Amino acid sequence: MELPVYVPMILFLVLLALGMPIGLALGVTGALGVATTFGFDAMLGVLQTTPFRTSASALLSTIPLFILMAELLARGSVVRDVFRLAYTCMGHLKGGLALAAVMANVGFAALAGSSTAAAAAMSKISVPEMRRYGYDDRLSLGTVAVAGTLAIMIPPSLGFILYGILTENSIGKLFLAGIIPGIITAIAYCATIYVWVSRNPGIAPKVQPFPMAERFAAMKPVWPAGILIFIVIGGIYSGAITATEAAAVGAGGALIISVIWGGLRWTGITESLQATTRATAMIFTIIIGAMIFGYFMAATQVPQHLVEWVGELPLPRWGILLIIVVIYLILGFFMDQIAIVVLTLPLTYPLILSLGYDPIWFGVIIVKTTEIGLVTPPMGLNVFVAAGSVGARIETGFKGIMPFLIAEAIVLAMLIVIPELSLWIPNNLD
């Protein structure tokens, strides 16, 4: 007997409420939907073939490789060296240590696409330094948590890789599209810090300028990371290597740099491998579960019906887009960002195409809303990571995030209203 489409949907929500991991909840409800629609044998066929067919993809190998790259760099001294360089150059400015944390995260984001790894590494390095100089924990934790999200906007980005795989868009174009939005976001964070410290100087006491000799000395340990950025990003954009090859080169280069120059030892390597395995297993479970759920969705033609229904709404296309963006922002309050992307794209992507929007631009908007979801309560994964890494209160971290959310809203509005900010580079380098 075929069940109404809403029954598996309700079961999915119940399983989530009971605490089942989202990947398993998607798989269970999708399998039930396929069984009631096509029969038990069809369900067994889907369960037998989908896990291998989904995961045995060369493109998907970029996910664990870029995660490994981030973990290796985070456990060596590379991130510390990048922060030291930014610190010596910017520490004497208003909120200079916080500005240095943002700039260091820009550098780390250009090396690896893991936001969580960026927040964890930078909090351990920069927050104790800010505390030593009397910085308020709200500013320190808020800066580190929000700056860590740059890793999913500035290429190479796991967010763009996942979007490109799921929608079959060019990952190289998506990487190019993220450059200007990433730079604008970093500038917005710096502006927020400057205004905050200007209005309340007590939260960030001034630091004495460093001599030029010390600034030049801080540049020396960073050159291997600069070469790695050039090889990985330059290789992708020039067409010399694919995104998959770049991920392998990046992971191998990160291992060499972290061992030779970054002081990484066997313990750090094993910890990096363990963290990469955990993160990869979680992501692949979600993807496989979503593919099983997708068979049920395709059978019931929910995406097609949704597109038809929305097309009949008495709203202009920008009004529909605004509704979609608001839904993504609300989902970010309560759900894991990877799960949101995997679960919703089969619904929203056809709708966006039917409205005539550029798929590369929409990828930037999706990643931007995901970025915001990483720091908004109650989920706010980056805030939990940043606070937990230095033994701070979660509430303090969320208080520190609030000024940055204003900047995030302004940047998101700019990216929506001015698509050229995302499309100028990929369109001109195509």
Side-chain angles (χ1 to χ4, degrees):
M1 181 183 69
E2 183 174 342
L3 294 176
V5 66
Y6 60 81
V7 174
M9 297 289 192
I10 294 173
L11 174 62
F12 172 66
L13 295 176
V14 171
L15 293 177
L16 284 183
L18 293 174
M20 179 179 285
I22 190 166
L24 295 179
L26 285 168
V28 169
T29 53
L32 175 64
V34 171
T36 57
T37 304
F38 297 109
F40 188 74
D41 289 340
M43 181 196 73
L44 289 180
V46 169
L47 293 179
Q48 288 170 353
T49 60
T50 300
F52 176 78
R53 191 165 56 189
T54 301
S55 56
S57 165
L59 265 180
L60 279 177
S61 66
T62 57
I63 293 175
L65 287 171
F66 274 127
I67 293 174
L68 178 60
M69 181 180 174
E71 294 292 342
L72 289 169
L73 293 170
R75 281 172 169 76
S77 66
V78 176
V79 182
R80 186 179 297 105
D81 293 335
V82 172
F83 175 73
R84 178 69 185 175
L85 175 59
Y87 171 32
T88 56
C89 294
M90 307 180 70
H92 62 285
L93 303 174
K94 282 186 178 181
L97 292 179
L99 296 175
V102 173
M103 291 299 103
N105 268 291
V106 171
F108 186 78
L111 285 165
S114 173
S115 173
T116 305
M122 199 54 61
S123 62
K124 293 176 184 176
I125 294 165
S126 60
V127 173
E129 195 71 12
M130 289 191 235
R131 283 174 171 172
R132 188 162 70 90
Y133 282 97
Y135 274 54
D136 192 298
D137 263 8
R138 290 173 299 166
L139 175 61
S140 304
L141 295 173
T143 299
V144 169
V146 79
T149 65
L150 290 169
I152 61 168
M153 179 61 76
I154 295 176
S157 157
L158 289 179
F160 284 133
I161 291 171
L162 191 58
Y163 179 88
I165 291 170
L166 294 174
T167 62
E168 298 182 351
N169 279 288
S170 166
I171 293 175
K173 279 190 172 183
L174 288 164
F175 280 179
L176 289 171
I179 294 176
I180 292 178
I183 293 172
I184 292 174
T185 301
I187 293 172
Y189 293 162
C190 291
T192 301
I193 292 167
Y194 185 83
V195 171
W196 193 358
V197 175
S198 296
R199 296 184 63 181
N200 188 2
I203 65 172
K206 291 197 69 173
V207 177
Q208 290 299 315
F210 287 87
M212 289 303 298
E214 194 164 345
R215 296 181 187 181
F216 283 118
M219 294 180 185
K220 292 180 182 178
V222 178
W223 68 266
I227 293 176
L228 185 60
I229 292 173
F230 177 78
I231 293 173
V232 173
I233 305 299
I236 294 174
Y237 296 161
S238 66
I241 55 178
T242 65
T244 305
E245 293 164 344
V249 170
L255 177 61
I256 294 171
I257 289 172
S258 297
V259 170
I260 297 177
W261 291 282
L264 185 68
R265 295 297 176 259
W266 181 248
T267 301
I269 295 173
T270 55
E271 289 175 351
S272 299
L273 291 171
Q274 289 169 357
T276 301
T277 302
R278 286 193 296 269
T280 302
M282 180 268 292
I283 293 172
F284 273 53
T285 300
I286 293 174
I287 293 174
I288 292 169
M291 289 299 295
I292 295 172
F293 191 77
Y295 283 112
F296 167 64
M297 298 290 283
T300 56
Q301 294 190 319
V302 170
Q304 295 89 329
H305 294 324
L306 179 65
V307 170
E308 293 173 4
W309 176 74
V310 172
E312 296 171 358
L313 290 176
L315 292 172
R317 68 176 195 150
W318 63 264
I320 296 172
L321 173 66
L322 186 61
I323 292 173
I324 293 173
V325 171
V326 170
I327 289 172
Y328 270 105
L329 291 173
I330 293 173
L331 288 174
F333 296 163
F334 306 104
M335 290 178 64
D336 175 81
Q337 282 63 44
I338 293 172
I340 293 171
V341 171
V342 174
L343 182 61
T344 61
L345 272 182
L347 298 174
T348 58
Y349 185 71
L351 179 56
I352 285 297
L353 292 184
S354 72
L355 294 172
Y357 286 110
D358 188 285
I360 300 296
W361 167 82
F362 184 61
V364 174
I365 300 302
I366 288 290
V367 169
K368 187 63 185 175
T369 58
T370 300
E371 178 183 281
I372 295 172
L374 282 168
V375 293
T376 48
M379 278 289 287
L381 179 61
N382 269 27
V383 181
F384 281 91
V385 169
S389 297
V390 294
R393 294 173 61 87
I394 302 298
E395 308 91 278
T396 306
F398 279 122
K399 287 178 182 176
I401 281 297
M402 295 307 165
F404 292 101
L405 292 181
I406 298 173
E408 290 280 26
I410 294 172
V411 173
L412 177 59
M414 290 173 60
L415 296 178
I416 292 173
V417 175
I418 313 173
E420 290 77 14
L421 293 174
S422 305
L423 298 176
W424 187 83
I425 292 180
N427 286 347
N428 282 278
L429 292 183
D430 188 12

